[in-house]
Amino acid sequence: MPLVHDLKLTAMRVLEKAPDAIGSVSSVRTAEPVIIPTFDDGPTPGRTPEVLRALADHDATATFFVLMTSVRANRGLLEEVVAAGHEIGLHGMDHRHLPTLSRAEAREMLTRGKAELEDALGMPVLWFRPPHGDQSVETWRLIREAGMTSVIWSGTSHDWNPEATQDQRVEKATANLERGTILLFHDGHAGPADLGDPVPEPVLDRYELLDRVLRVAEERGLQATSLSRALERGTAVTRPHFNLHPRHLATAIRRR
Ligand SMILES: [Zn+2]
């Protein structure tokens, strides 16, 4: 399977070039006219296929941060994502807030999640996106120790926000779109089975949202690609990203 081999070589090159700064990758500094769409919480039926269709219609690739709870339930969909030329990163064994776990539990989440995903893919997993974007210095270090780099974003589509209209989502996603922007989307919704917070899933047309955002990008001469592809000719911009929702702060402190 030449595609998998190709992706593996790319992954190894990026790993060699990975910066050691204390920070999470938030965008890519590049002379290439590219943006990097990223999709969290999948793969899931209904949502992932719509996203794949929009990406294919724009001849675009992207990076998917998968949950092992979703992967186990939808192994065929993971294969479809890979076969379409997209890159896979890890979002977690499940959707718990890492800083609320004990050090041992958090390490287990990262190392077992990475091993299980690499087993399913047959290639290295380089990138980790913290669930909820929640990260402490300790969990950032554990991500590094597990052999992954933490990746956040520099733009969001607000597809997680039930209050936003589709027009507002397109506007927010494209307002500051520029070379190297890492854009946050979702192709899943972390529910009780993923140990996610009980938040309602917005009702939205994911194909339409992505199609509109990619049209705007193309009008600006920007093409969508995966993070590793963008880094072949660019460098990672990292910034400190240490964040925990106040609701979970007390738990995190108690567990230390
Ligand atoms: Zn998530």
Side-chain angles (χ1 to χ4, degrees):
M1 199 173 172
L3 187 65
V4 170
H5 182 66
D6 198 31
L7 278 173
K8 187 172 176 176
L9 284 176
T10 304
M12 296 312 288
R13 276 201 297 272
V14 171
L15 197 60
E16 284 163 15
K17 280 167 61 179
D20 208 26
I22 292 189
S24 299
V25 177
S26 58
S27 61
V28 174
R29 189 177 295 111
T30 179
E32 270 194 310
V34 293
I35 56 163
I36 302 108
T38 61
F39 297 87
D40 291 3
D41 299 346
T44 60
R47 309 175 189 95
T48 307
E50 290 300 283
V51 164
L52 289 179
R53 194 160 62 84
L55 290 169
D57 285 353
H58 287 267
D59 204 16
T61 57
T63 299
F64 288 74
F65 291 95
V66 300
L67 284 175
M68 293 318 295
T69 38
S70 303
V71 167
R72 284 184 212 125
N74 306 291
R75 189 61 76 96
L77 270 179
L78 179 73
E79 283 164 15
E80 275 181 48
V81 175
V82 174
H86 305 297
E87 178 182 39
I88 308 293
L90 180 64
H91 192 38
M93 292 277 280
D94 51 53
H95 211 267
R96 283 178 293 171
H97 299 250
L98 273 186
T100 66
L101 306 178
S102 73
R103 188 180 164 79
E105 277 177 316
R107 180 185 285 126
E108 167 92 355
M109 279 269 284
L110 292 161
T111 54
R112 270 191 50 207
K114 182 173 190 273
E116 197 179 324
L117 183 55
E118 288 181 341
D119 220 41
L121 295 170
M123 68 178 103
V125 172
L126 298 178
W127 313 121
F128 181 81
R129 171 161 288 157
H132 310 276
D134 280 358
Q135 186 169 245
S136 64
V137 174
E138 187 178 56
T139 62
W140 177 86
R141 279 190 206 289
L142 290 173
I143 294 164
R144 292 292 295 189
E145 283 171 25
M148 295 181 286
T149 298
S150 170
V151 178
I152 48 165
W153 53 85
S154 51
T156 167
S157 65
H158 278 252
D159 63 349
W160 45 268
N161 181 355
E163 308 296 319
T165 65
Q166 195 81 322
D167 284 350
Q168 286 168 338
R169 291 189 182 106
V170 174
E171 202 180 303
K172 282 174 189 298
T174 57
N176 300 307
L177 207 55
E178 57 185 13
R179 286 175 187 205
T181 297
I182 296 178
L183 256 186
L184 172 68
F185 291 93
H186 295 79
D187 67 323
H189 180 75
D194 313 295
L195 308 179
D197 289 353
V199 288
E201 178 176 12
V203 178
L204 80 154
D205 183 333
R206 287 171 204 274
Y207 175 90
E208 195 223 17
L209 174 61
L210 185 54
D211 178 55
R212 286 177 63 185
V213 170
L214 293 179
R215 277 175 202 274
V216 173
E218 284 157 10
E219 281 163 18
R220 297 181 196 172
L222 299 165
Q223 176 69 22
T225 194
S226 70
L227 179 57
S228 291
R229 292 269 186 236
L231 284 170
E232 284 177 14
R233 294 197 199 159
T235 49
V237 175
T238 60
R239 64 176 167 86
H241 174 88
F242 300 111
N243 185 45
L244 181 60
H245 193 283
R247 191 156 24 103
H248 299 283
L249 202 54
T251 324
I253 291 164
R254 230 179 13 251
R255 296 297 294 268
R256 292 190 71 85

